[in-house]
Amino acid sequence: MPGAPRGGPAAYLVAAVAGCLVGLVGASFRWCLVRVQELHGSLLSASERLAGPGWLVPVLTTAAGATVACALARPVPLAAGSGIQDVEAVWRGERQPRPFLWLLPVKFVGGVIAMGSGLVLGREGPTVHMGAAIGAEAGRRARMSPRDVTLLHTSLAGAGLAVAFTAPLSGVVFVCEEVTKVVRTRVVLLTLIGTATAVGCSELIVGDRPVFRVPAALAGPPLALLPAVLLFGAATAVLGVAYSRLIVGFMDLADRVTRVGPVARAALIGAVVGLLLGIDPLLAGGGDELSGRLLAGDMPVGTVLAGYLAVRFLAGPLSYSAGTPGGLFAPLLALGALWGALVHGLALPLLPGDGSGAVPFAIVGMAALFTAVVRAPVTGITLVVEMTGTTSLLVPLLAACFAATLTADRMGSPPIYDSLRLRMAKSP
């Protein structure tokens, strides 16, 4: 009858149209982020030529960026952090999809400012959350049922992830494995069409190349090293569990420091991260440049790798506690690449030949650490394969992620987004 909510096949058309918008918004977000990072990088390069107080430039600019981004997010609390936990809460019926009128612009602008100024955050959180908000709003405008609005909210979140990393299959797997934890035909079909149109439109702005370039004809470790790969995955899980606990621990600590307001706290965190940028730009930022160098075979010596790993291990959770828009995936992938390269260097005397080089270990480390923290092994494997454009490492990827998942579960560590979702439920 006239005015009745519409569902069924109409939802696929709505998902396709909303996917186009997600692609354009997500790709524009990536484009703006690159431009701001280039501008900030030029400013840092210029500050190196200044005598005396030149080191203050990265400290002040990153502190200012964190301050502005946190201040923007304060009136819209859901805009802070990743947003993936909110997408999962909506799917579980714990929250309703929120209107995107304020969420989308705050997530977009605040994310560009926070990450563009050098905080150790990932672009996927804002794009996932913006994609979900666009999907829900499209369902409302099409006068669809509340159930279909939730389905569109969830499926277009996957499109947002796909656009963030030019990884369409990962967006579909992410929705099924991480968000819904089920494989249902309607959810899969909505995610497929939304992701396809989103990535297709995003390619008009950011292109279709894999995020990282790796050496051609990359060979995986010999099968004889499979037990070592399993051990590597288990060791990675220990690192991942510690990283997850550090994220939540820093957030709890930030909440307990009541004498310093949230915006002032963000400024202090930004100043610390800015100081790291002044020492070495690879110590901060989302981590794409660092990951790209490692996967291209540009491997620093072991002490430098260990230094990068130690600093970014702390800087990522610290940046996330600043209360600005930004995600966890990209810094996590960079940390995993560092870990894999470092372990390869330490184990090199025990490996036959060169163990196929450090790049395969870096790639396996990315997926294994992602799996240990997020507890979504298939998403981690698919994401890394799509971002690197290589399929020759599937066996070691499967083995390492199996060991990482099993070990993290046995250690009693919940997946990070479960922890963040439960934490969010306690807040107003």
Side-chain angles (χ1 to χ4, degrees), residues 3 11 19 49 66 110 154 167 183 190 200 211 216 229 238 241 270 298-299 307 310 329 336 350 366 374 379 415:
R49 297 189 291 270
T154 301
V183 179
L190 285 170
V211 175
V229 172
V238 177
V241 168
D298 182 8
M299 296 290 171
F329 283 16
L350 305 176
M366 293 168 72
V374 181
T379 301

Side-chain angles (χ1 to χ4, degrees), residues 290-329:
L290 177 58
S291 298
R293 290 190 184 187
L294 295 173
L295 298 184
D298 182 8
M299 296 290 171
V301 297
T303 52
V304 175
L305 285 172
Y308 283 148
L309 180 71
V311 171
R312 293 187 66 90
F313 186 85
L314 296 171
L318 180 65
S319 296
Y320 195 80
S321 68
T324 69
L328 297 170
F329 283 16

Side-chain angles (χ1 to χ4, degrees), residues 371-395:
T371 295
V373 174
V374 181
R375 215 63 51 77
V378 183
T379 301
I381 293 169
T382 309
L383 186 63
V384 168
V385 167
E386 288 191 291
M387 291 179 73
T388 60
T390 180
T391 58
S392 59
L393 301 175
L394 283 175
V395 172

Side-chain angles (χ1 to χ4, degrees), residues 321-351:
S321 68
T324 69
L328 297 170
F329 283 16
L332 194 58
L333 294 172
L335 200 67
L338 284 167
W339 169 247
L342 178 62
V343 169
H344 173 269
L346 294 174
L348 190 57
L350 305 176
L351 299 177

Side-chain angles (χ1 to χ4, degrees), residues 27-425:
S28 299
F29 181 77
R30 284 181 61 177
W31 186 90
C32 291
L33 185 56
V34 170
R35 302 288 86 78
V36 172
Q37 287 172 336
E38 289 176 347
L39 179 62
H40 193 223
S42 299
L43 185 60
L44 295 184
S45 297
S47 70
E48 294 175 356
R49 297 189 291 270
L50 295 177
W55 63 273
L56 284 173
V57 172
V59 173
L60 294 176
T61 55
T62 307
T67 300
V68 172
C70 181
L72 286 173
R74 289 295 295 164
V76 190
L78 282 178
S82 168
I84 291 176
Q85 62 269 30
D86 180 58
V87 174
E88 295 186 2
V90 169
W91 172 257
R92 287 164 175 76
E94 298 168 2
R95 288 174 176 252
Q96 293 298 314
R98 304 302 172 90
F100 82 148
L101 180 61
W102 289 107
L103 177 64
L104 194 146
V106 170
K107 206 80 175 184
F108 190 110
V109 177
V112 167
I113 293 173
M115 286 173 272
S117 64
L119 291 180
V120 186
L121 298 169
R123 62 182 178 271
E124 81 294 327
T127 54
V128 166
H129 212 184
M130 289 189 291
I134 290 170
E137 188 65 19
R140 293 191 194 98
R141 295 296 179 92
R143 303 187 62 192
M144 308 197 78
S145 68
R147 178 59 178 165
D148 277 342
V149 169
T150 299
L151 286 173
L152 287 166
H153 183 270
T154 301
S155 59
L156 271 297
L161 178 67
V163 170
F165 294 124
T166 316
L169 187 56
S170 300
V172 180
V173 176
F174 167 76
V175 167
C176 296
E177 184 184 33
E178 171 59 24
V179 180
T180 68
K181 293 180 170 55
V182 295
V183 179
R184 295 179 182 170
T185 302
R186 189 162 173 78
V187 175
V188 171
L189 290 178
L190 285 170
T191 308
L192 283 173
I193 187 61
T195 298
T197 57
V199 174
C201 289
S202 72
E203 289 176 357
L204 300 174
I205 300 174
V206 297
D208 60 352
R209 293 181 178 179
V211 175
F212 301 122
R213 295 184 180 183
V214 300
L218 188 68
L223 288 178
L225 286 180
L226 199 57
V229 172
L230 288 168
L231 183 60
F232 171 68
T236 304
V238 177
L239 185 71
V241 168
Y243 193 75
S244 296
R245 290 174 178 170
L246 199 60
I247 290 171
V248 177
F250 269 129
M251 294 179 72
D252 290 342
L253 179 62
D255 287 347
R256 288 197 295 268
V257 182
T258 55
R259 292 186 178 182
V260 180
V263 176
R265 185 170 62 235
L268 291 173
I269 293 172
V272 172
V273 175
L275 185 60
L276 296 176
L277 279 173
I279 297 170
D280 185 341
L282 295 180
L283 289 173
D288 275 6
E289 183 180 353
L290 177 58
S291 298
R293 290 190 184 187
L294 295 173
L295 298 184
D298 182 8
M299 296 290 171
V301 297
T303 52
V304 175
L305 285 172
Y308 283 148
L309 180 71
V311 171
R312 293 187 66 90
F313 186 85
L314 296 171
L318 180 65
S319 296
Y320 195 80
S321 68
T324 69
L328 297 170
F329 283 16
L332 194 58
L333 294 172
L335 200 67
L338 284 167
W339 169 247
L342 178 62
V343 169
H344 173 269
L346 294 174
L348 190 57
L350 305 176
L351 299 177
D354 66 348
S356 299
V359 174
F361 277 79
I363 293 175
V364 174
M366 293 168 72
L369 189 60
F370 176 95
T371 295
V373 174
V374 181
R375 215 63 51 77
V378 183
T379 301
I381 293 169
T382 309
L383 186 63
V384 168
V385 167
E386 288 191 291
M387 291 179 73
T388 60
T390 180
T391 58
S392 59
L393 301 175
L394 283 175
V395 172
L397 283 168
L398 290 167
C401 289
F402 161 78
T405 302
L406 185 62
T407 304
D409 282 343
R410 291 299 178 91
M411 291 180 69
S413 173
I416 186 61
Y417 291 112
D418 283 1
S419 298
L420 295 178
R421 178 172 53 83
L422 293 174
R423 196 177 185 283
M424 179 182 68

